[in-house]
Amino acid sequence: MNITPETETTRALNQGNPIQKRARLKWIHVVPYVFILPYFALFSVFILYPILYSLMLSFSQWNSSGLTFIGLTNYKNILTNPLFWKSLSNTGQILIIQVPIMLSLATVVAVFINSSLIRFRTFFRLGFFLPVLIDLVTYSLVFSLMFNENFGLINHLLSLFGGHVAWRTDPFWAKVMIIVAITWRWTGYNSIIVLSGLQSIPKDLYESASIDGAGRIISFFKITVPMLKPVLLFCTIISTIGTLQLFVEPYVLTRGGPSNATMTAMYYLYDIAFGTFNFGLASAGAYLVTIVIAILSYLQIRIGKGGEI
């Protein structure tokens, strides 16, 4: 026969008459919900309510007299707008080029700062992570000065070799400037995530591979990369979502130009919402972009087989 030791809680419950016992028991059951209530209250006000209200806006026309239900008109208007597709295309081009480059660099950096041959590894880890801590607008302004066509640092260095790049007036180089800025900011962040994956790989695998005669390069492609598959899949998904929400860099660096060449989907929706105050159309576009993000994330998980090694 098992005898359960009496705890402080059970002793407190057993004291008093039956009515007092039931009251204490009822209060103990309620207390956990009291502690989590603030979270659900804040979630409802700042997340759930905006989601539902923007959904309602996407089916409405907003004006000074209030909301008027117009069905799928906003979705039809935005799907037939060439600039919306242009902004999606720009975002897709940046995504396809920037994410693979950034994740490749992040993996190399993670291997570098995880190597036992490197001294001051903590210093390097902090150094690579620092760009994430810098304010988005501040770093965009710094890049704007660096890539200024007339007196920027980059063109000054290029001029030493006889070169000059039209970073703001050439559509191709404007995209390159944004890709460089995003890569600089987020490579360190992803390298720290990849580093956590590297440290979970058993060292026995590398020792066995070394005994079998495998060098560092073969071990990297045969052991490191396959074992990092779940982490790389996670980084790919969050980087894809982040790129599809790209706004600050094109807004500060190029203002979406030249000729809308760097107009991203979020910048386009922002321009509709606060440039023309057509919040219904902007809400419809936001939900369409959300659907695109959901589809891409689903495909990445299916292609990556859920990160299974």
Side-chain angles (χ1 to χ4, degrees):
M1 178 179 176
N2 296 327
I3 300 176
T4 304
E6 190 178 38
T7 63
E8 292 293 334
T9 304
T10 54
R11 276 199 295 274
L13 285 173
N14 292 331
Q15 293 177 354
N17 56 48
I19 297 176
Q20 290 175 328
K21 290 179 182 178
R22 284 197 295 272
R24 291 194 192 98
L25 187 61
K26 186 177 180 181
W27 173 246
I28 287 175
H29 287 165
V30 170
V31 166
Y33 297 102
V34 173
F35 279 108
I36 63 174
L37 183 61
Y39 166 76
F40 284 104
L42 293 173
F43 176 82
S44 301
V45 172
F46 294 106
I47 298 179
L48 186 60
Y49 172 73
I51 291 174
L52 296 178
Y53 188 70
S54 62
L55 179 63
M56 183 177 66
L57 276 176
S58 70
F59 295 102
S60 310
Q61 184 177 14
W62 181 85
N63 52 43
S64 57
S65 61
L67 294 177
T68 304
F69 180 76
I70 57 174
L72 296 173
T73 304
N74 285 327
Y75 289 92
K76 179 184 175 183
N77 290 340
I78 199 162
L79 285 172
T80 54
N81 191 325
L83 192 52
F84 174 68
W85 293 106
K86 172 73 174 176
S87 67
L88 271 183
S89 173
N90 292 335
T91 309
Q93 291 173 33
I94 295 172
L95 171 69
I96 291 172
I97 298 171
Q98 189 266 335
V99 171
I101 292 175
M102 181 184 65
L103 292 183
S104 300
L105 289 174
T107 304
V108 173
V109 169
V111 172
F112 171 73
I113 58 180
N114 189 50
S115 173
S116 58
L117 302 176
I118 302 300
R119 299 183 64 186
F120 309 112
R121 283 183 290 179
T122 304
F123 171 77
F124 284 111
R125 290 171 187 176
L126 178 63
F128 283 111
F129 190 74
L130 271 180
V132 183
L133 305 179
I134 300 174
D135 178 66
L136 262 174
V137 176
T138 303
Y139 109 90
S140 298
L141 287 173
V142 171
F143 266 76
S144 177
L145 292 173
M146 289 174 59
F147 284 88
N148 187 284
E149 290 185 20
N150 298 320
F151 51 85
L153 175 64
I154 304 299
N155 267 356
H156 174 70
L157 294 175
L158 291 175
S159 66
L160 300 177
F161 304 95
H164 181 274
V165 176
W167 297 107
R168 293 174 180 274
T169 54
D170 187 291
F172 173 79
W173 291 111
K175 283 193 182 76
V176 171
M177 178 173 58
I178 289 176
I179 289 172
V180 171
I182 303 169
T183 304
W184 177 83
R185 179 172 172 80
W186 294 108
T187 295
Y189 174 82
N190 284 281
S191 68
I192 296 300
I193 298 175
V194 176
L195 176 64
S196 65
L198 279 176
Q199 293 179 341
S200 66
I201 300 176
K203 290 185 171 56
D204 297 348
L205 295 177
Y206 293 104
E207 291 173 359
S208 300
S210 177
I211 293 172
D212 292 338
R216 290 181 180 275
I217 295 177
I218 293 178
S219 297
F220 175 77
F221 286 104
K222 296 293 184 181
I223 298 176
T224 304
V225 173
M227 295 296 288
L228 285 176
K229 187 178 175 182
V231 178
L232 291 175
L233 176 62
F234 172 74
C235 291
T236 303
I237 292 174
I238 61 171
S239 299
T240 300
I241 295 173
T243 306
L244 287 171
Q245 296 175 339
L246 186 62
F247 169 73
V248 174
E249 287 85 354
Y251 180 79
V252 176
L253 293 175
T254 61
R255 295 285 178 180
S259 303
N260 299 320
T262 57
M263 172 76 77
T264 60
M266 283 298 112
Y267 191 172
Y268 171 69
L269 297 179
Y270 169 84
D271 199 41
I272 291 177
F274 298 99
T276 63
F277 296 102
N278 195 339
F279 294 109
L281 193 63
S283 298
Y287 273 94
L288 290 174
V289 173
T290 303
I291 292 172
V292 172
I293 292 174
I295 292 173
L296 286 179
S297 300
Y298 173 76
L299 291 176
Q300 287 169 341
I301 293 173
R302 286 298 300 267
I303 294 172
K305 297 179 180 177
E308 293 181 1
I309 300 174

